[in-house]
């Protein structure tokens, strides 16, 4: 198939940036979206042009590096990561727009690459448990109800890709933050720091210039890991509880 | 974050007020005496514990404070979201495809401008029926008569229709959003909460629209 790509090109942080069109011919339906970009980049390199910079690492949907906005939707038309999106989701002759995540908290470094360090700093603010390390305890030493374990595991699948922020009309990072709060808050090991964690993480979230959540739900609709919207409610409940109890 | 909770709490206060207000409006079907008595009693509410119009003024102060806090939080969060989106030029994404997002509802993305329409309407409405600065259809000492006079005019009915649809949409998303902001949503409840939000919004919208339309079509008055 032949497609027209319109890609956001931006030389560096301070460059203005613009959409640039490219024709990509003989694209196979079985290529992943990133492989299609690789093909285009090879051509650009041979022609002596600057290849399109995009972030990627695992290419198997688990590292969260590869996010771009495709046709206005974070990670494109399928609910998966960009690396797991295949060209069979498009038609011959399509025009496909590719843009970087757009948020104040995610400054563009180059072309499609953004700095998602703000998400790391939210984790650093409280998304961990403080435990003395040593030999691993017996797996059954602390019983965890099955439903809690499941919910914690589901929340823990968040790969920090940032699609939720890119899709949110408020550029809020609440779904990401809520996934981390829920993941640790459902488990016994997460309890001692539970009240303090949510306050610190939400404060950091606001300090990083993410917007405020208005519960529109675009985040959960594009999340490649299916983090549910009600984790945000759980975060709010923890937050109000910890503010009310003063246990911060 | 505190802003969000403030919006949710003041929003809930306003919803409760709207329900009471709608109930009052429906008294118009009782005829002139019932309605005027009701309006009069509102002023005597709480007497002799409270002075004349005492309870009414307490309610007014609470409502005014709620609206001011609600609007302050809304505009602050609005500005924050604008900054956070970091749009280049007019649009955040240059692509013209899927501009309406994946699943967001009309109600959810009209919260801000819809809220502004509602507040402008509230000012107009107060000038009309509370302070009597404007009296389309003719002034009167009887609240009932003022209502009937007003709603015999098509553009008054139309303005109330538009405003109530805006209120309905605002509440449809707002009530659902408040449950989430106050931490009351769970996966199993989400559908139910949305149904309840839609139902309350619909009841309030219809409940407010029944009197003006009944008057307009001559069923009352
Ligand atoms: C200045 C005008 C207004 C603006 C900009 C505005 C904006 C908003 C926004 C953005 C929300 C959503 C909060 C969220 O998603 O969590 C909201 C909720 C709500 N609004 Fe307004 N609003 C305004 C005026 C009003 C007025 C006059 C009323 C009452 C008649 C009202 C009643 C509500 C209610 C009941 C909620 C639900 C509570 C909540 O979601 O937290 N609003 N408003
Ligand atoms: S919540 Fe989903 S969309 Fe957001 S960062 Fe985690 S995996 Fe990505
Ligand atoms: S490259 Fe790792 S998730 Fe896509």
């Amino acid at each position: 198939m032949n497609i027209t790509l319109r890609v956001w090109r931006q030389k560096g942080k301070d460059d203005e940036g613009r959409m640039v069109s490219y024709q990509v011919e003989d694209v196979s339906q079985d290529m992943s979206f990133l492989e299609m970009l690789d093909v285009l980049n090879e051509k650009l390199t041979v022609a002596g042009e600057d290849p399109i910079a995009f972030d990627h690492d695992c290419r198997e949907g688990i590292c969260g590096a590869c996010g771009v906005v495709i046709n206005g939707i974070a990670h494109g038309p399928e609910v998966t990561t960009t690396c797991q999106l295949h060209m069979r989701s498009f038609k011959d002759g399509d025009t496909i727009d590719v843009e970087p995540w757009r948020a104040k908290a995610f400054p563009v470094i180059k072309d499609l690459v953004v700095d998602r360090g703000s998400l790391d700093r939210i984790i650093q603010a409280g998304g961990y448990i403080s435990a003395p390390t040593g030999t691993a305890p017996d797996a059954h030493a602390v019983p965890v109800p099955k439903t809690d374990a499941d919910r914690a595991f589901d929340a823990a699948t968040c790969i920090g890709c940032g699609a939720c922020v890119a899709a949110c009309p408020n550029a809020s990072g609440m779904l990401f933050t809520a996934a981390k709060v829920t993941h640790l808050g459902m488990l016994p090991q997460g309890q001692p720091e539970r009240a303090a964690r949510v306050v610190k993480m939400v404060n950091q979230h606001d300090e990083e210039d993410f917007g405020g959540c208005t519960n529109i739900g675009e985040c959960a609709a594009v999340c490649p890991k299916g983090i549910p919207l009600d984790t945000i409610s759980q975060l709010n409940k923890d937050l109000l509880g910890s503010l009310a109890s003063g246990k911060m | 974050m505190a802003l969000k909770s403030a919006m949710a709490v003041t929003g809930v206060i306003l919803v409760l007020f709207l329900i009471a207000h709608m109930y009052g409006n429906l008294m118009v079907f009782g005829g002139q005496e019932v309605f005027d008595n009701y309006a009069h009693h509102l002023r005597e509410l709480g007497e002799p514990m409270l002075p004349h119009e005492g309870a009414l003024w307490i309610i007014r102060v609470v409502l005014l404070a709620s609206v001011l806090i609600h609007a302050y939080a809304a505009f602050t969060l609005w500005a924050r979201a604008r900054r956070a989106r970091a749009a280049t030029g007019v649009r955040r994404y240059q692509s013209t495809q899927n501009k309406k997002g994946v699943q967001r509802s009309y109600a959810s993305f009209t919260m801000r401008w819809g809220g502004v329409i509602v507040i402008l309407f509230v000012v107009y409405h107060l000038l009309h029926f509370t302070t009597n600065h404007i009296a389309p259809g003719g002034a009167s000492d009887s609240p009932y008569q003022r209502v009937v006079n007003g709603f015999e005019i098509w553009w008054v009915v139309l303005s109330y229709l538009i405003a109530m649809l805006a209120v309905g949409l605002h509440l449809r998303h707002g009530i659902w959003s408040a449950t989430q902001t106050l931490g009351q949503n769970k996966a199993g409840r989400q559908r139910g909460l949305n149904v309840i939000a839609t139902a309350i919004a619909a009841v309030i919208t219809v409940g407010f629209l029944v009197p003006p339309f009944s008057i307009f079509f001559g069923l009352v008055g």
Side-chain angles (χ1 to χ4, degrees):
Chain A
M1 55 200 266
N2 299 325
I3 53 169
T4 307
L5 271 192
R6 290 175 65 235
V7 186
W8 182 263
R9 301 302 309 261
Q10 181 172 341
K11 290 204 177 69
K13 266 198 170 100
D14 303 320
D15 184 33
E16 256 197 11
R18 68 218 63 86
M19 297 297 273
V20 179
S21 290
Y22 301 95
Q23 301 298 324
V24 194
E25 276 126 39
D26 298 326
V27 174
S28 151
Q29 302 243 314
D30 300 326
M31 282 179 181
S32 75
F33 200 83
L34 298 188
E35 284 167 338
M36 181 274 297
L37 288 179
D38 290 337
V39 169
L40 172 60
N41 272 347
E42 271 170 34
K43 276 194 212 146
L44 290 177
T45 312
V46 169
E49 286 178 51
D50 201 15
I52 300 162
F54 62 90
D55 217 347
H56 61 105
D57 186 16
C58 69
R59 297 213 177 191
E60 55 182 8
I62 55 169
C63 75
C66 60
V68 289
V69 171
I70 302 168
N71 290 343
I73 301 178
H75 289 304
E78 315 282 344
V79 184
T80 183
T81 54
T82 304
C83 60
Q84 292 296 299
L85 174 69
H86 290 84
M87 294 312 293
R88 65 182 84 94
S89 300
F90 301 92
K91 291 192 309 289
D92 187 35
D94 272 0
T95 298
I96 306 173
D97 303 322
V98 193
E99 301 173 66
W101 286 170
R102 191 68 73 195
K104 179 99 194 305
F106 293 162
V108 175
I109 298 172
K110 186 176 181 189
D111 297 339
L112 303 173
V113 181
V114 299
D115 178 359
R116 287 175 298 125
S118 46
L119 295 185
D120 298 336
R121 290 187 291 275
I122 293 178
I123 299 280
Q124 283 162 7
Y128 50 78
I129 59 161
S130 309
T133 51
T135 47
D138 286 340
H140 61 299
V142 186
V144 182
K146 172 85 168 110
T147 47
D148 291 358
D150 285 350
R151 188 159 166 85
F153 271 120
D154 286 347
T157 58
C158 165
I159 52 177
C161 64
C164 40
V165 178
C168 174
N170 301 305
S172 173
M174 255 321 128
L175 193 66
F176 166 82
T177 312
K180 304 303 168 192
V181 164
T182 302
H183 151 211
L184 297 169
M186 294 308 289
L187 296 175
Q189 295 84 346
Q191 298 315 309
E193 287 151 306
R194 185 168 177 176
R197 172 183 309 119
V198 64
V199 175
K200 287 194 224 159
M201 290 181 81
V202 169
N203 279 343
Q204 189 66 33
H205 167 279
D206 291 354
E207 239 164 72
E208 296 290 345
D209 269 335
F210 289 101
C213 168
T214 55
N215 304 306
I216 288 176
E218 290 290 289
C219 50
V222 299
C223 173
K225 298 298 156 181
I227 304 295
L229 198 56
D230 70 321
T231 53
I232 296 181
S233 182
Q234 181 160 350
L235 173 144
N236 284 326
K237 194 170 189 174
D238 275 17
L239 185 66
L240 293 175
S242 96
L243 293 178
S245 70
K247 272 192 295 189
M248 302 178 264
Chain B
M1 203 53 233
L3 293 175
K4 290 284 318 172
S5 314
M7 288 200 76
V9 173
T10 53
V12 169
I13 294 174
L14 293 170
V15 170
L16 295 176
F17 162 73
L18 286 180
I19 293 174
H21 185 349
M22 175 186 80
Y23 169 76
N25 289 359
L26 291 173
M27 299 229 179
V28 83
F29 289 105
Q32 180 152 13
E33 211 182 304
V34 173
F35 192 77
D36 285 355
N37 269 339
Y38 166 73
H40 185 67
H41 275 304
L42 274 185
R43 280 148 186 81
E44 287 176 348
L45 203 68
E47 278 181 47
M49 296 277 282
L50 296 167
H52 186 64
E53 296 205 344
L56 195 63
W57 274 104
I58 292 174
I59 297 173
R60 282 174 178 164
V61 169
V62 170
L63 288 177
L64 182 66
S66 298
V67 169
L68 290 180
I69 294 170
H70 190 87
Y72 170 76
F75 285 118
T76 312
L77 288 167
W78 192 342
R80 199 179 283 175
R82 247 187 98 89
R83 186 156 34 94
R85 278 195 301 267
T88 46
V90 215
R91 271 187 277 119
R92 182 176 181 197
Y93 294 114
Q94 307 303 310
S95 180
T96 50
Q97 306 184 50
N98 301 300
K99 270 199 294 198
K100 296 215 173 92
V102 184
Q103 53 85 54
R104 65 185 179 156
S105 61
Y106 184 71
S108 74
F109 74 84
T110 51
M111 286 307 277
R112 289 169 181 149
W113 283 112
V116 170
I117 292 179
V118 172
I119 198 81
L120 291 177
F121 163 77
V122 169
V123 173
Y124 156 76
H125 175 61
L126 291 179
L127 288 175
H128 184 184
F129 285 125
T130 305
T131 67
N132 305 320
H133 276 91
I134 46 176
S140 164
D141 282 340
S142 153
Y144 176 83
Q145 205 53 51
R146 285 204 295 274
V147 170
V148 171
N149 290 350
F151 290 133
E152 277 169 351
I153 302 169
W154 68 269
W155 58 263
V156 177
V157 175
L158 182 67
S159 65
Y160 276 74
L161 172 65
I162 293 170
M164 289 309 114
L165 290 178
V167 168
L169 288 171
H170 199 81
L171 296 186
R172 158 60 206 111
H173 183 74
I175 294 171
W176 139 251
S177 176
T179 64
Q180 175 94 348
T181 300
L182 297 176
Q184 298 309 309
N185 180 31
K186 285 203 176 94
R189 273 191 210 161
Q190 189 157 318
R191 225 189 114 76
L193 288 174
N194 271 299
V195 171
I196 293 171
T198 310
I200 298 178
V203 167
I204 290 181
T205 309
V206 173
F208 272 107
L209 284 177
V210 167
F213 274 93
S214 303
I215 292 167
F216 187 67
F217 289 112
L219 301 174
V220 177

